[in-house]
Amino acid sequence: MKSFEYADEEIGQNEIGYVIPSVVIGAGILSLPRVLSEDTVNADGWLAILVGGIIAVFFTWVVTKLASRFPKKSFFDYCSLLISKPLAFILTAYMAMYFMLFASYEIRFVATLSQQYLFASTPKEVLAFVFLLVVTYAVAGSRVALFRLHQLFLPIIIGILFIVLLMAVPLIDMNHFFPLFKTSGTGYLKGTKSTLLSFMGWGALLFYTSLMNKPKKATKAGMIGMCVPIILYILLYVAAIGVLSNVVAANLTYPTNELAKVIEVPGGFFERMEIVFFTIWVMALFTSSIVFFDVSVVALNSLFKKVKKITLILVLAPVIFLVGMMPQDRLHLSKFSEILGYGGITVSIVIPTILLIVAKMRGVKGHE
Amino acid sequence: MFFKSPKKNKRKEQDHSKQEDFSTELSTSLEQNIVNIKKMLDQPSDLITRPFIVGETGPACAIIYIDGLTDTKVINDSIMKNLQIGVDEIESRSEETETALLDRLSHHFISSGSVKKVTTMDEASLAILSGDTALFVEGTDQLLVIDTKGWKSRSIEQPTTEGTIRGPRDAFTESIRTNTMLIRRRIRDANLRFKSQQIGRRSKTRLTVAYIDGIVHNDLLQEVNKRLESIDLDDAPESGYIEQWIEDSFLSPFPQMHNTERPDKVATALTEGKIAILLDGTPFVLIAPATFGAMMHSPEDYYERWMIGTLLRILRYFAAFLAVFLPALYIALVSYHPGLIPSKLAFSIAATREGLPFPAVIEAFLMEITMELLREAGIRLPKPIGQTIGIVGGLVIGEAAVSAGIVSPVMVIIVAVTAIASFSLPSYSFAISIRMLRFSFMLAAAFLGLYGIILAYIMVNIHIVNLKSFGIPYSTPFAPAFKSDWKDLVLRVPIPMMNRRPKFLQPEDEKRIDKEDQS
């Protein structure tokens, strides 16, 4: 049966535009004001976000340019064209592992957070396991359905964030912002680095662009998509500093949640807003997790073409769970995220750049 | 073994002899034909055979029909009267063959709207069984089938399941002809198509696919036809059988086709580019494809002014939210996150819950199940008693349960609000799905509180985005996003602004209103 244009396993530019913010908005946003406040003074961190954001947008451009050169080709396929097959195999495997680790991290993060805010006595293994089940259920479905999930959830997530921001406005103390530009150069540099790490995720486009019906449009959609979290991050950061002040933000584990805590719902319907905020935030963490999980499945599937998708999922899910449960405490967890950060730099910045340069120099192009 | 075999043989012989008794071929002998028909149908008491002679001295004839399925007035006035009294010229042409005579009878004398010449016994018997009259003439192995269908049927009444304040009051009936008439009366388009087929190996029920050529997407039509062809049932007493046979996923709690008894709803669906499936014998017509958004629509949204329509829709989404989440939220808040409730309210809830024997989950399940029982009982009971049982049962049980100290008054309020919310959904099948979901959300809340609720919500969403109705994603036009269709989703913009047919159906003729004509 020839099906409807939009009912097949292809995606358009809209979907790509939705994926980027869905991936980026996740674990990072909760701790971002803290990370920035550690390195910058007063509200200077917004500049770091902006610079980090511009870098992120630039590399989104690099990634989409590279991927859209080879329409309908998987990462492994065009990698083999550019740099011999064995090297491509290693690269793809490395990427699959990176995304898998990232999925583990997200799942662990959900468990830790929900243990902290909702269930002090329920073991984190149970919380992570239930979450992983839902993620697996999503990934096991059709791939375009994942993109539809982003389309459904992203407006909710951004809407909730905006409500929190709006309600925080009356609480902002302007004194927390001034004086401006007091941060040293290294401070800005460090801040930029840490924001850049929280923007990681555009690497997913290396794999998803091959699903597009018009890959050329990926560039624009991806860059617009990247701008959404940048704007949100800046607004959120400014609000967090304005309400909590730099010093307080630097000493809270998840300042964004605390921001949700201090605001009050008119009418007094809910006390402790941060629980409601976190509950809805589970959706944001979920949308990131499904992308990481799915991309690692896509990557592995391009390596092992004969293996069924569902088999890969069933093999990966327990691994993700076990890896996610490995870090013993928060210290280990932040080590984990650091490793992920460096992995992210190689996956999202170094590898695509090298590949694009190679492609340009050798003039290799995929066939339409 | 030895003893059994003769018996077996005997039975076989019997079957054989029964088969041999009559011929399934039409013979030229009138008498033989009548005998064959009677044997085929095994001498039914409602089969009427009426032998007569055409004109004064014409050939022997007979009509056969089933009493009750036919309109005797038509038989008397347009067959019998004409053939017995009106025919004078038969004698003068006595030299002509019987077949030519048959043609002449059909051309000149039988004044019924539809006459068909039939040459096989199967066709003849099927025609007789569906209410037509067969006319046999001595000396020919052909016969005429005259349309005399006319049986008692319910008159057109008000829709019982989909009431509106403003809007047409007619509903479909059990007769498919009446139903197609109701649709035709609304759409006088030459491109409106009704394609009929028979469903059911035994029942041979008539099924009609209705669509508007030039609007409907060809793939959709082909898909519907392909699935209808695959149906292999003995009997199709209700369109629900068809729906369940051709739907995409039987594991889904959501209805994947609309069912409605409102002709206006079907008419608008057809003009949007959807397909309607009508089945004889049921007033419920199926509309395909169905989407989540369309389940929330009521025809009345379009009849009232746009602001009212929009407001009602928002209210309905809110009602669906309440119907799914309210008891679950109560359970989660009371048993896991009491800190979330404002302290004053928390105190009053805690005070009412003091001394209650059950945890909130059991309490909620107890009341919800009671509510479902009351609803179910109210439907089965005769109408006057049904309403009483609702009021008496609801009030008395609620009041008594509270004063007996089994459930808290807050729980009663929550159950009542939930029930009212689920009544306000326009599609009954969809409301049932919502009721089912409610229980799973309550379970999720009982296990993992708010976290469980949000995960359950995500799971429902995953299911919806994966679900398709005839190749069309159930979540359209939310996702995949068709922004131009959002004019008629949660909002209902003024009619002149809805100048395009829904894009997600990819209609061949997209324009509903020509902008040029408007100004």
Side-chain angles (χ1 to χ4, degrees):
Chain A
M1 168 202 142
K2 196 186 131 238
S3 60
F4 283 82
E5 213 175 274
Y6 55 87
D8 49 15
E9 289 285 307
E10 278 186 351
I11 54 174
Q13 50 175 341
N14 264 345
E15 277 87 349
I16 286 290
Y18 274 101
V19 165
I20 292 285
S22 274
V23 183
V24 174
I25 300 174
I29 203 165
L30 295 177
S31 54
L32 180 80
R34 166 173 55 99
V35 178
L36 272 179
S37 304
E38 282 166 1
D39 302 321
T40 58
V41 184
N42 295 336
D44 289 350
W46 68 272
L47 201 66
I49 302 180
L50 194 66
V51 176
I54 290 170
I55 298 173
V57 171
F58 173 72
F59 282 103
T60 313
W61 177 82
V62 170
V63 163
T64 46
K65 267 286 159 207
L66 172 68
S68 59
R69 265 177 101 93
F70 306 95
K72 310 262 171 194
K73 275 203 171 133
S74 73
F75 176 74
F76 176 61
D77 286 345
Y78 62 76
C79 237
S80 323
L81 280 178
L82 291 173
I83 46 160
S84 73
K85 221 164 188 174
L87 261 177
F89 191 91
I90 294 170
L91 266 190
T92 317
Y94 172 72
M95 289 202 156
M97 199 169 94
Y98 164 73
F99 282 110
M100 195 206 74
L101 284 180
F102 216 140
S104 304
Y105 175 73
E106 291 278 336
I107 283 159
R108 171 58 192 264
F109 192 79
V110 172
T112 314
L113 259 185
S114 42
Q115 206 178 22
Q116 184 178 344
Y117 284 101
L118 296 173
F119 309 98
S121 51
T122 312
K124 61 180 186 298
E125 282 81 6
V126 176
L127 297 171
F129 183 70
V130 181
F131 187 75
L132 182 66
L133 280 186
V134 179
V135 171
T136 314
Y137 175 47
V139 176
S142 92
R143 192 154 284 138
V144 277
L146 295 184
F147 293 96
R148 290 186 197 134
L149 276 179
H150 296 310
Q151 286 184 330
L152 283 180
F153 287 162
L154 194 65
I156 301 178
I157 294 163
I158 292 179
I160 292 295
L161 213 51
F162 260 101
I163 291 172
V164 169
L165 282 174
L166 272 183
M167 288 199 283
V169 168
L171 302 171
I172 289 177
D173 183 353
M174 292 305 271
N175 290 328
H176 292 154
F177 294 137
F178 301 108
L180 293 171
F181 304 116
K182 279 285 191 181
T183 314
S184 63
T186 45
Y188 280 125
L189 218 61
K190 272 187 177 170
T192 306
K193 195 199 87 185
S194 35
T195 31
L196 193 58
L197 290 186
S198 63
F199 280 131
M200 286 301 161
W202 65 85
L205 290 188
L206 282 175
F207 295 89
Y208 278 156
T209 311
S210 65
L211 297 172
M212 284 183 76
N213 41 20
K214 293 176 193 118
K216 287 271 176 276
K217 292 195 170 165
T219 317
K220 198 178 150 204
M223 284 163 74
I224 291 173
M226 201 69 220
C227 290
V228 174
I230 294 169
I231 295 165
L232 274 179
Y233 274 31
I234 291 177
L235 288 178
L236 194 83
Y237 170 76
V238 170
I241 297 298
V243 175
L244 301 168
S245 89
N246 192 302
V247 185
V248 177
N251 288 306
L252 291 167
T253 328
Y254 301 116
T256 312
N257 262 11
E258 300 302 319
L259 185 69
K261 195 181 205 166
V262 292
I263 63 169
E264 269 171 34
V265 187
F269 208 74
F270 279 116
E271 272 180 21
R272 298 187 61 201
M273 185 63 188
E274 91 273 16
I275 293 187
V276 181
F277 175 73
F278 166 69
T279 308
I280 289 152
W281 209 247
V282 171
M283 275 200 281
L285 298 167
F286 169 79
T287 50
S288 318
S289 312
I290 52 172
V291 171
F292 295 133
F293 195 162
D294 189 52
V295 167
S296 66
V297 171
V298 176
L300 286 180
N301 226 345
S302 67
L303 293 182
F304 309 104
K305 286 192 173 101
K306 277 182 190 152
V307 186
K308 271 191 202 149
K309 183 183 163 194
I310 192 76
T311 327
L312 281 177
I313 291 170
L314 291 180
V315 170
L316 273 183
V319 178
I320 286 176
F321 180 72
L322 290 176
V323 173
M325 289 301 113
M326 270 195 326
Q328 291 302 313
D329 46 29
R330 190 163 294 152
L331 214 66
H332 272 117
L333 200 61
S334 60
K335 265 257 167 57
F336 192 1
S337 82
E338 214 170 289
I339 296 169
L340 275 180
Y342 291 116
I345 289 178
T346 52
V347 165
S348 306
I349 295 179
V350 180
I351 297 175
T353 314
I354 294 175
L355 287 179
L356 187 66
I357 291 170
V358 170
K360 286 253 179 204
M361 293 221 309
R362 289 178 51 194
V364 184
K365 259 193 171 175
H367 301 288
E368 286 281 345
Chain B
M1 286 300 281
F2 183 73
F3 292 102
K4 262 184 184 170
S5 57
K7 233 185 195 173
K8 234 182 192 172
N9 275 348
K10 208 176 176 186
R11 191 188 287 161
K12 249 187 190 167
E13 246 166 45
Q14 226 175 16
D15 285 352
H16 204 61
S17 70
K18 213 177 174 185
Q19 281 268 313
E20 284 292 280
D21 255 1
F22 61 90
S23 147
T24 49
E25 301 283 309
L26 283 168
S27 91
T28 48
S29 153
L30 173 65
E31 210 164 313
Q32 191 59 47
N33 277 334
I34 292 174
V35 168
N36 284 347
I37 285 257
K38 279 191 172 168
K39 280 206 173 134
M40 192 175 190
L41 303 177
D42 203 14
Q43 307 275 5
S45 54
D46 53 354
L47 187 79
I48 311 285
T49 326
R50 168 75 163 84
F52 62 97
I53 288 169
V54 179
E56 297 278 320
T57 55
C61 295
I63 56 168
I64 299 182
Y65 60 90
I66 289 190
D67 195 22
L69 289 181
T70 46
D71 188 347
T72 34
K73 198 166 178 298
V74 175
I75 297 178
N76 292 342
D77 290 355
S78 51
I79 306 174
M80 295 304 292
K81 218 183 201 171
N82 292 356
L83 293 185
Q84 287 187 310
I85 304 162
V87 189
D88 300 327
E89 331 152 43
I90 291 290
E91 298 97 297
S92 61
R93 301 200 192 175
S94 52
E95 70 279 358
E96 71 185 344
T97 63
E98 274 77 6
T99 317
L101 173 73
L102 208 64
D103 283 339
R104 214 148 64 80
L105 285 181
S106 110
H107 290 159
H108 299 289
F109 297 103
I110 295 167
S111 50
S112 167
S114 150
V115 180
K116 222 169 41 179
K117 200 193 269 182
V118 153
T119 50
T120 66
M121 193 67 139
D122 280 341
E123 279 177 278
S125 62
L126 183 61
I128 292 171
L129 288 174
S130 44
D132 291 339
T133 300
L135 172 71
F136 291 89
V137 176
E138 173 72 48
T140 169
D141 57 353
Q142 298 179 346
L143 66 137
L144 291 181
V145 167
I146 305 147
D147 181 19
T148 53
K149 289 190 201 75
W151 46 74
K152 292 279 171 289
S153 70
R154 200 160 58 92
S155 60
I156 298 169
E157 281 165 22
Q158 287 200 19
T160 46
T161 55
E162 295 162 280
T164 56
I165 303 277
R166 182 173 176 181
R169 300 278 152 155
D170 51 348
F172 288 124
T173 70
E174 281 76 8
S175 154
I176 195 166
R177 275 286 154 263
T178 316
N179 295 350
T180 49
M181 174 273 282
L182 286 170
I183 296 174
R184 275 228 195 266
R185 246 184 54 195
R186 286 184 164 75
I187 306 174
R188 294 186 185 86
D189 190 344
N191 290 321
L192 175 63
R193 300 275 180 272
F194 289 111
K195 298 276 182 226
S196 284
Q197 62 196 87
Q198 279 170 353
I199 294 290
R201 248 184 301 168
R202 299 279 169 191
S203 67
K204 302 240 172 28
T205 317
R206 185 188 280 263
L207 178 143
T208 301
V209 181
Y211 58 93
I212 300 182
D213 205 19
I215 296 181
V216 74
H217 192 279
N218 207 20
D219 294 343
L220 182 65
L221 186 63
Q222 274 177 12
E223 182 65 20
V224 169
N225 282 330
K226 200 184 81 188
R227 292 191 194 183
L228 285 175
E229 270 163 32
S230 75
I231 294 180
D232 188 13
L233 288 163
D234 256 5
D235 173 25
E238 218 281 330
S239 49
Y241 277 67
I242 309 293
E243 181 184 351
Q244 288 169 59
W245 191 285
I246 65 177
E247 70 187 358
D248 286 65
S249 161
F250 62 90
L251 288 172
S252 171
F254 294 106
Q256 290 145 56
M257 296 177 88
H258 264 291
N259 62 68
T260 179
E261 48 173 348
R262 295 187 65 95
D264 53 333
K265 204 170 171 181
V266 172
T268 35
L270 290 179
T271 52
E272 277 180 353
K274 293 183 180 172
I275 292 175
I277 299 171
L278 295 87
L279 189 74
D280 197 19
T282 170
F284 287 96
V285 172
L286 300 174
I287 301 174
T291 56
F292 182 87
M295 290 289 170
M296 294 293 203
H297 295 179
S298 156
E300 205 173 8
D301 298 350
Y302 303 95
Y303 302 151
E304 286 290 357
R305 279 161 45 252
W306 73 275
M307 283 191 234
I308 301 172
T310 304
L311 198 69
L312 288 179
R313 273 191 192 171
I314 294 173
L315 196 70
R316 237 174 264 138
Y317 276 95
F318 183 63
F321 175 83
L322 283 186
V324 175
F325 286 101
L326 196 59
L329 277 176
Y330 175 77
I331 294 171
L333 290 183
V334 166
S335 43
Y336 283 98
H337 323 287
L340 257 176
I341 316 170
S343 18
K344 271 187 187 166
L345 185 61
F347 285 136
S348 67
I349 290 180
T352 58
R353 286 189 49 77
E354 206 177 8
L356 291 187
F358 303 119
V361 198
I362 306 288
E363 200 189 340
F365 265 94
L366 215 64
M367 285 313 281
E368 283 294 341
I369 291 171
T370 315
M371 188 64 227
E372 295 297 321
L373 276 177
L374 276 174
R375 187 203 307 244
E376 203 55 24
I379 296 171
R380 308 288 159 237
L381 283 169
K383 227 178 187 174
I385 310 175
Q387 286 169 351
T388 337
I389 205 106
I391 298 162
V392 171
L395 285 180
V396 171
I397 293 183
E399 185 58 38
V402 170
S403 51
I406 298 174
V407 296
S408 70
V410 182
M411 191 66 232
V412 176
I413 297 175
I414 285 183
V415 169
V417 172
T418 314
I420 291 170
S422 68
F423 281 134
S424 66
L425 298 175
S427 160
Y428 180 70
S429 333
F430 190 68
I432 300 178
S433 323
I434 293 281
R435 270 152 72 185
M436 272 162 57
L437 282 184
R438 170 160 77 232
F439 283 99
S440 28
F441 273 88
M442 280 158 67
L443 274 181
F447 283 121
L448 284 168
L450 277 179
Y451 186 61
I453 293 179
I454 197 74
L455 288 184
Y457 172 71
I458 291 174
M459 276 184 84
V460 170
N461 272 294
I462 297 171
H463 174 71
I464 288 179
V465 294
N466 275 304
L467 190 64
K468 282 182 177 185
S469 166
F470 293 89
I472 287 182
Y474 204 61
S475 50
T476 40
F478 289 109
F482 286 88
K483 296 205 177 65
S484 59
D485 294 348
W486 289 2
K487 286 186 206 166
D488 184 21
L489 189 62
V490 181
L491 300 178
R492 205 280 282 163
V493 297
I495 300 270
M497 281 167 74
M498 291 198 284
N499 51 350
R500 300 269 156 150
R501 294 178 214 285
K503 219 176 189 153
F504 71 90
L505 291 167
Q506 299 195 337
E508 286 181 11
D509 176 20
E510 261 195 14
K511 272 188 196 164
R512 190 146 38 185
I513 302 167
D514 272 321
K515 269 276 149 73
E516 289 80 25
D517 291 355
Q518 248 209 308
S519 58

